[in-house]
DNA sequence: CATCTTTATACTCCGATTGAGCATATGCGT
DNA sequence: ACGCATATGCTCAATCGGAGTATAAAGATG
C-alpha cells in the first residue's frame, strides 16, 4: 500500500511468440519436439526484459527481431506446481523474417493454423467449425444451468459469429478460451479433443494472445513491414496480411488503401513470375516508417 | 533457450493507475504527499497478479475495481539502484468510482491534468504548448546533428500536431517521452522544468501509459461504464468521455452514436437540475455489457 | 500468329458513416 | 409573457469503404 513493502522472492521467465510469414503462411517459432514456445529465464545480467528477450532470440534465430511487443505477464498459481517457487512469466510478440540458413539448422517453424485450424477462414468458413466445434460448444452450453446457459450461448455465438455477423478474426483468444472452458482441448484434459495441435502448459494460450494482438495491430500500425522482404509485389503484401488475418480481402480495395496511404513506393523493377502480367515491385518508404510508427495505418479488414 | 534454465531470484511489484471521473474531471489515485502511484509487493500468497492487485486496491479504496487491465511490465536496470536486487514491476490500469467516504479518509485523488497540463484540450489548444513546449522542443531538435534533427522535428510535429493535423489525444505517452528525452521534466533532472506536477521515479511515465491506453480503449470498448454512476444523463456521459479524451465532441453526433449502438436505455426518470430543459436519465443495458465486452463500441473521437 | 488464361491495374457505383449545422422542445428565472 | 439554457430531433454534404466492371500485359497453347 505504501510502496515500501518487502516483495517476496520469485523467478522471472521470458516467453516469446516469434512470427514470420513465408510463402503466404503465418509461421511461429517453436521448440521442435517439445511442443513449446521458446522460453528462457530472465537473468540479472539483462539490462531490461526486452533486452533479455532480444538477446536470446537473436542468438537462436541468427537474425534480429525487428518489432518486439509485450503481450502479457502471468503469475498464476496453477502455472507452477503450486509450491513455493512463484514464477512471473512475461510473454512477448516478436516479428522477423524466416531467412533460410540463418540459425543453427534446427529451427521449428510451424504454420500457426496447425494449432488453431478454425482460425483459417481464407478458403471460406472452415468445416471444423460447423462440423465439430459448433455442436460440441452447443452441447456444453446446454449442459449448464438456465442462468449460465444464455451467457454461454451468447459467448459462443459472438466468438464464432453464429448470429450471422461477420467473422471477427481478432477473437482468437476468446475462441481458444471458450474451447478450454468447455473442456474440448487436450490442455484441459479433454477425453476427445477437438482438432488442433496442442502445446505444453499454457503456451497455446499465449500463442493465441499473440495472434489476436497481431491481427488487431496490423489494422492500425505498419507492422507487416517487419515480415516482408526488402521488395515485394502488392499481391505478396496482400497475401501476407491475409495469412495473418486468416481472411481474404478485396484486392482492388487493398491496393487503393495501401497506395493512398503512401506506405510504399515503386522500386522501378517488376517481377515476371506471377503467372500473368508482371507486377511492379514495391518497397516501404523509410520516411513513413517513423511517421506511421506513431500515427497509424489502415487496412481493409473491417472491424466487425 | 530450452525453457529449462534456472531463473534468477527477483522481486515482484504491482503498480496501479486507478482512475475515476468526478464532476467531469478525470482523477487518479495517488499516495498523498509521496507523489507516487499506489504500489505494493506481489506476495506468494496472491493467487495471481491481478488478484493481488485487486486485493490491496480494494482494501485501500473500500470499493472494488470494476475493470482491471494490465499495462506494462518493467525490469529496467535503472529502476532499482543498480544493485543485485532486480525488481519486476507489473503496472495495471484500474477503473472505479470515487464514492465519498468509502475508503479510510486519506485518499489522494487528483486531476490527471495536474501531471499533464498539455493534455487537456477541452478548452482549445492549451497555451502551454504554444508558449512553452513548442519553443523548447524546437530548441532541443535544433541542437542535434543534422541527421537526428529531422527525426526529432518530425517526432515533435507528430506528437504535438504541429503540422496542421488534428490533435491526437492518444499520444500522451509519446509526448511525455519526448519531454523526458529533451530533458524538460524534473524526472530527467531538468534545470528549468516545464509545467506539470512530477512523480516519484517512473510513475508519471506509467500514468501516461495508463492515460494513453484508456483514451484508446474508450473508442472501441464500453469501459466508460465503470466510471459512471448507475444512472446519468447523456451530457454527463459525454462530459466523462471528454474528460478522459481531453477533447470536446459534437453533442448531437455523440448522442446519435450512443443511441444507435443501443448501449444505454432510458430509466424513465429525468433530472431537472441541468439548468435548462430537464434531461432524461439513462442506464447501461446489462445485456449489452456482455456482448460489447467482446464486440466493441464506437465513440465519435476521430483517430487522427 | 490468334487466342486463351492469368494476373495487374484503373475506374465506377452506391450505401453507410460521420462531421457540422439548423430547428424545435421544455424546463427555469424574472 | 419573455428570454435563457439545455435537451432533443432532423438535415445535408463530404467522405469512406465494400463490391463490381473494364482494360492492360505478360505467358501458354493451338
Amino acid at each position: 500500500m505504501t510502496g515500501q513493502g518487502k516483495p517476496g522472492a520469485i523467478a522471472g521467465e521470458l516467453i516469446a511468440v516469434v512470427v514470420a510469414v513465408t510463402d503466404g503462411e503465418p509461421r511461429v517459432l517453436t521448440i521442435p519436439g517439445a511442443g513449446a514456445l521458446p522460453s528462457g529465464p530472465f537473468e540479472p545480467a539483462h539490462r531490461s526484459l526486452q533486452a533479455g528477450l532480444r538477446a536470446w532470440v537473436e542468438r537462436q534465430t541468427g537474425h534480429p527481431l525487428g518489432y518486439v511487443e509485450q503481450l502479457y505477464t502471468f503469475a498464476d498459481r496453477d502455472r507452477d506446481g503450486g509450491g513455493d517457487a512463484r514464477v512471473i512469466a512475461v510473454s512477448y510478440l516478436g516479428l522477423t523474417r524466416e531467412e533460410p540458413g540463418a540459425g543453427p539448422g534446427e529451427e521449428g517453424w510451424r504454420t500457426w493454423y496447425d494449432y488453431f485450424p478454425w482460425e483459417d477462414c481464407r478458403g471460406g468458413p472452415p468445416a471444423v467449425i460447423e462440423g465439430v466445434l459448433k455442436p460440441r460448444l452447443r452441447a456444453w452450453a446446454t449442459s449448464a444451468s438456465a442462468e449460465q446457459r444464455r451467457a454461454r450461448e451468447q459467448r459462443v455465438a459472438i466468438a464464432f459469429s453464429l448470429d450471422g455477423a461477420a467473422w471477427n478474426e481478432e477473437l482468437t483468444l476468446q475462441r481458444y478460451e471458450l474451447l478450454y472452458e468447455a473442456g474440448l482441448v487436450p490442455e484441459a484434459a479433454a477425453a476427445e479433443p477437438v482438432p488442433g495441435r496442442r502445446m505444453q502448459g499454457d503456451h497455446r494460450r499465449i500463442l493465441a494472445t499473440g495472434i489476436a494482438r497481431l491481427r488487431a495491430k496490423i489494422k492500425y500500425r505498419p507492422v507487416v513491414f517487419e515480415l516482408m522482404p526488402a521488395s515485394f509485389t502488392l499481391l505478396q503484401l496482400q497475401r501476407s496480411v491475409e495469412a495473418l488475418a486468416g481472411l481474404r480481402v478485396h484486392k482492388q480495395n487493398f491496393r487503393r488503401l495501401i497506395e493512398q496511404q503512401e506506405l510504399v513506393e515503386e522500386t522501378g523493377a517488376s517481377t515476371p513470375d506471377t503467372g500473368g502480367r508482371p507486377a511492379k515491385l514495391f518497397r516501404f518508404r523509410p520516411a513513413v516508417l517513423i511517421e506511421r510508427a506513431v500515427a497509424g495505418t489502415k487496412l481493409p479488414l473491417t472491424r466487425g
Side-chain angles (χ1 to χ4, degrees), chain A residues 49-66:
Chain A
L49 290 169
Q50 211 180 86
L53 185 93
R54 284 198 127 96
W56 60 258
V57 168
E58 287 179 17
R59 198 166 15 143
Q60 172 165 55
T61 69
H63 44 249
L65 288 178

Side-chain angles (χ1 to χ4, degrees), chain A residues 131-262:
Chain A
V132 183
L133 303 190
K134 191 169 157 185
R136 299 194 62 180
L137 284 166
R138 263 200 215 293
W140 169 70
T142 317
S143 73
S145 66
E147 180 91 19
Q148 280 200 315
R149 194 177 145 167
R150 288 188 59 84
R152 285 187 179 180
E153 279 169 347
Q154 193 175 23
R155 286 173 60 206
V156 171
I158 291 171
F160 290 89
S161 304
L162 302 183
D163 50 0
W167 177 258
N168 185 343
E169 83 284 354
E170 289 184 27
L171 302 183
T172 305
L173 179 58
Q174 282 89 337
R175 283 186 282 267
Y176 176 73
E177 283 183 336
L178 269 179
L179 292 172
Y180 190 101
E181 216 176 314
L184 301 178
V185 292
E187 289 93 330
E192 258 187 275
V194 133
R197 177 176 269 260
R198 73 163 292 172
M199 276 185 158
Q200 203 179 82
D202 55 0
H203 285 200
R204 195 149 64 133
R205 206 184 114 95
I206 295 173
L207 175 56
T209 308
I211 294 174
R213 181 74 65 86
L214 185 51
R215 283 182 169 183
K217 205 109 190 182
I218 48 170
K219 290 184 189 169
Y220 61 95
R221 285 291 144 90
V223 287
V224 219
F225 296 138
E226 312 287 352
L227 302 166
M228 299 296 294
S231 78
F232 48 85
T233 71
L234 289 184
L235 186 58
Q236 283 167 354
L237 180 61
Q238 181 182 344
R239 291 286 178 245
S240 292
V241 169
E242 289 174 339
L244 298 175
L247 282 173
R248 288 255 110 98
V249 304
H250 186 99
K251 189 170 177 174
Q252 292 91 326
N253 292 347
F254 181 83
R255 307 169 114 271
R256 174 171 65 185
L257 225 48
I258 294 297
E259 292 189 330
Q260 87 185 16
Q261 291 190 120
E262 300 181 308

Side-chain angles (χ1 to χ4, degrees), chain A residues 46-92:
Chain A
H46 293 141
R47 216 181 58 254
S48 66
L49 290 169
Q50 211 180 86
L53 185 93
R54 284 198 127 96
W56 60 258
V57 168
E58 287 179 17
R59 198 166 15 143
Q60 172 165 55
T61 69
H63 44 249
L65 288 178
Y67 181 86
V68 168
E69 167 178 337
Q70 212 174 80
L71 280 176
Y72 207 75
T73 303
F74 316 82
D76 298 349
R77 164 104 9 98
D78 50 301
R79 280 202 91 229
D80 29 56
D84 291 337
R86 295 305 294 276
V87 175
I88 296 187
V90 188
S91 57
Y92 279 84

